Amino acid sequence: VQLQASGGGLVQAGGSLRLSCAASGLFRINDMGWYRQAPGKQRELVAAISVGGTTNYADSVKGRFTISRDNDKDTVYLEMNSLKSEDTAVYYCNADGKELYDEKYRYYWGQGTQVTVSS
């Protein structure tokens, strides 16, 4: 199983970035999401999306970030607008899924992609 995240980088405050995360090796996927971890802080949920498209956002990103997914491609996206310096963190994608011969759903994580917002 692999979750391959991409799209991070350096951007000025007020700018935009789009993250992508493609999952492979999973037979079924329920929720997908994005988490982030800033230096010295705990990992926190940024946004999540169900297989049916129901979304959930951290208060700090509501109105600025948009999560979406393509179920045919097992890919989740995070559109980030009006970026602030406090959005600087490593962003991790997450999938609640199962492999073909596994009875249980498990949480799988991507490798993380750095987002740096300069003020």
Side-chain angles (χ1 to χ4, degrees):
V1 176
Q2 186 176 14
L3 273 66
Q4 184 66 46
S6 60
L10 173 64
V11 64
Q12 287 189 333
S16 299
L17 281 174
R18 186 180 192 232
L19 305 182
S20 300
C21 176
S24 59
L26 289 173
F27 179 62
R28 292 192 191 281
I29 302 176
N30 284 337
D31 293 353
M32 301 185 80
W34 289 94
Y35 288 71
R36 67 186 180 187
Q37 187 166 19
K41 294 188 176 182
Q42 289 188 331
R43 190 175 297 188
E44 62 174 359
L45 174 68
V46 176
I49 184 167
S50 72
V51 66
T54 301
T55 58
N56 179 39
Y57 295 93
D59 288 342
S60 59
V61 306
K62 283 181 181 177
R64 300 188 297 122
F65 291 11
T66 301
I67 189 170
S68 61
R69 66 189 282 175
D70 184 332
N71 290 330
D72 291 337
K73 296 180 179 179
D74 289 341
T75 300
V76 63
Y77 306 95
L78 186 67
E79 186 76 34
M80 304 184 293
N81 298 314
S82 303
L83 282 160
K84 306 175 181 180
S85 58
E86 50 263 45
D87 296 318
T88 295
V90 177
Y91 284 69
Y92 298 90
C93 59
N94 167 272
D96 176 25
K98 68 184 291 294
E99 298 177 64
L100 180 60
Y101 299 109
D102 196 343
E103 293 183 352
K104 295 182 179 181
Y105 282 80
R106 305 177 192 276
Y107 287 112
Y108 297 88
W109 294 91
Q111 83 282 12
T113 184
Q114 177 71 45
V115 171
T116 303
V117 183
S118 62
S119 56

